[in-house]
Amino acid sequence: MLFAFAFVCLGLAGHVEPVLGNTDGVTSIFRPLSQPAQEIKETSLLVLAICGSIFAVVAGLLVYAIVRFRHRAGDELSEPPQVYGSNQIELAWTILPLLIVFVLILVTSRTIADIQNRKPPPTAVQATVIGHQWWWEIRYPELGIVTANELHVPASDGRESRPTFLKLQSADVAHSFWVPLLAGKTDLIPNRENLMWIEPTKPGTYPGNCAEYCGTQHARMLIRVVVHPPDEFERWAREQQQSASLETNAPEGRKVFFANSCVNCHTIAGTSAQGKFGPDLTHLMSRQTLAAGAATNTTDNLRLWVRDPQKIKVGCLMPNMQLTDEEVDQVVAYLQTLK
Ligand code: CUA
């Protein structure tokens, strides 16, 4: 039963549950599409096979003994002969497990060393991911880009290897970065920097989630990795490097935004909004989701979010700003100019 339970857990691992919209949430550790997830899968299948055969042998012998030597009508009620000590058997069940554990140690440490010793090639993209309650801040120091909740990376193709190396940090409590199709989990720990890398080859959007309980909205701390063909990635980076235009066709909304405390928490590059506490909004409309994947980025959801964030994400640190319906519409119109 334990084994079956473990298997169900493995199967469910990586299941992601957003609140509104977005159905591409189910992902599996058994069909990885990137290094190092592939190498990790191969190692874990070997470990699973070894442990599975031990389980089959032990459980098989147990079932055989229970059935073969069960109590039958007419059995004598005296005790069977008692056997004490057998050098062969004791040696066998000491040495065999030792050998098995030794094999497991060797294969696992080879995989760990392979992954940890990878050096970034000159073509590598460097990004810093900072965990917050409950969203992801993403910085590309070399490209001068700050964004949130959606990590954009180039795909490696046959000609050029372009892995992305991630520095993982936390602004508050421990979180864990996990995109099952791309790599294993790595924790984001306060006052510490952890490193990991991914090297996807197939463009697409890869969902993931925080994998370390970090408070009320841990389950809705989702991350997406968007893998672009190399030239498309350069185009994305150029767009993200632009500041927001000061000219806006939603001047009322802009006024409401800047008259409220939105600016204390959010940055909009090129304006006086330079808050660092919440996600950077400079290119909000380039993102597929709101509130770290809790809702798809549609006008209705954005309105709902601006009116009362607690309706979408109870406990989140963005307060209800008590805006009137008209002000909500104006702010949403302004936010939608942040392309
Ligand atoms: Cu962040 Cu769980």
Side-chain angles (χ1 to χ4, degrees):
M1 275 178 75
L2 270 177
F3 198 71
F5 177 70
F7 228 88
V8 170
C9 290
L10 276 173
L12 289 176
H15 183 82
V16 162
E17 196 78 62
V19 206
L20 300 166
N22 172 26
T23 50
D24 61 355
V26 182
T27 157
S28 165
I29 51 171
F30 290 112
R31 44 178 188 90
L33 288 167
S34 162
Q35 288 299 7
Q38 263 147 5
E39 193 172 346
I40 295 172
K41 185 191 100 176
E42 280 153 26
T43 306
S44 42
L45 283 186
L46 179 67
V47 172
L48 213 58
I50 293 176
C51 297
S53 24
I54 295 173
F55 175 81
V57 169
V58 173
L61 285 174
L62 188 65
V63 170
Y64 172 78
I66 291 172
V67 174
R68 171 86 173 73
F69 300 107
R70 70 185 183 278
H71 180 80
R72 288 186 175 87
D75 275 356
E76 286 177 49
L77 288 173
S78 62
E79 277 193 3
Q82 301 296 300
V83 182
Y84 295 100
S86 157
N87 283 343
Q88 282 112 321
I89 293 179
E90 280 167 23
L91 274 175
W93 72 42
T94 307
I95 292 172
L96 212 63
L98 268 179
L99 287 177
I100 294 170
V101 170
F102 193 62
V103 170
L104 290 177
I105 290 175
L106 283 186
V107 286
T108 345
S109 38
R110 196 187 62 185
T111 306
I112 293 173
D114 266 2
I115 294 171
Q116 287 192 341
N117 295 342
R118 175 84 194 264
K119 295 276 171 292
T123 50
V125 173
Q126 305 278 353
T128 304
V129 177
I130 304 161
H132 293 257
Q133 284 174 317
W134 291 276
W135 59 283
W136 308 88
E137 178 180 350
I138 297 162
R139 300 178 160 267
Y140 299 78
E142 289 167 3
L143 298 172
I145 295 172
V146 182
T147 179
N149 302 326
E150 289 174 15
L151 175 68
H152 291 251
V153 304
S156 291
D157 53 23
R159 285 166 295 136
E160 192 175 39
S161 159
R162 289 201 74 188
T164 301
F165 280 71
L166 302 175
K167 288 186 176 137
L168 304 178
Q169 304 168 351
S170 168
D172 36 49
V173 298
H175 304 271
S176 185
F177 182 95
W178 190 32
V179 181
L181 297 184
L182 303 182
K185 301 171 186 174
T186 310
D187 283 1
L188 296 82
I189 297 168
N191 302 314
R192 195 194 143 89
E193 187 167 85
N194 279 341
L195 302 174
M196 72 180 287
W197 58 272
I198 50 175
E199 188 172 4
T201 48
K202 200 166 151 262
T205 301
Y206 298 80
N209 50 298
C210 178
E212 177 78 46
Y213 183 71
C214 54
T216 322
Q217 288 296 343
H218 155 71
R220 292 192 189 122
M221 185 168 167
L222 310 184
I223 183 130
R224 291 165 166 253
V225 176
V226 183
V227 179
H228 298 276
D231 46 335
E232 197 182 295
F233 175 75
E234 308 307 336
R235 194 163 59 237
W236 173 85
R238 272 197 307 279
E239 280 165 14
Q240 295 286 314
Q241 284 160 345
Q242 310 296 321
S243 287
S245 157
L246 285 174
E247 295 291 311
T248 171
N249 50 16
E252 304 90 355
R254 187 178 200 282
K255 216 193 261 157
V256 177
F257 186 91
F258 282 85
N260 280 282
S261 47
C262 314
V263 291
N264 295 339
C265 293
H266 295 287
T267 292
I268 297 178
T271 74
S272 61
Q274 293 295 323
K276 297 281 182 260
F277 202 63
D280 187 300
L281 300 178
T282 315
H283 298 283
L284 177 66
M285 296 320 288
S286 71
R287 297 182 206 143
Q288 300 163 359
T289 65
L290 300 171
T296 42
N297 191 356
T298 62
T299 307
D300 284 347
N301 288 344
L302 192 56
R303 201 176 284 134
L304 200 61
W305 178 254
V306 171
R307 177 171 292 126
D308 186 3
Q310 306 296 322
K311 286 263 163 59
I312 293 184
K313 231 172 156 174
V314 183
C316 81
L317 299 181
M318 177 162 155
N320 181 340
M321 304 302 291
Q322 313 291 343
L323 301 180
T324 63
D325 283 357
E326 196 191 358
E327 287 172 325
V328 168
D329 287 345
Q330 291 168 341
V331 169
V332 167
Y334 172 59
L335 291 176
Q336 287 183 323
T337 66
L338 303 173
K339 298 252 160 69

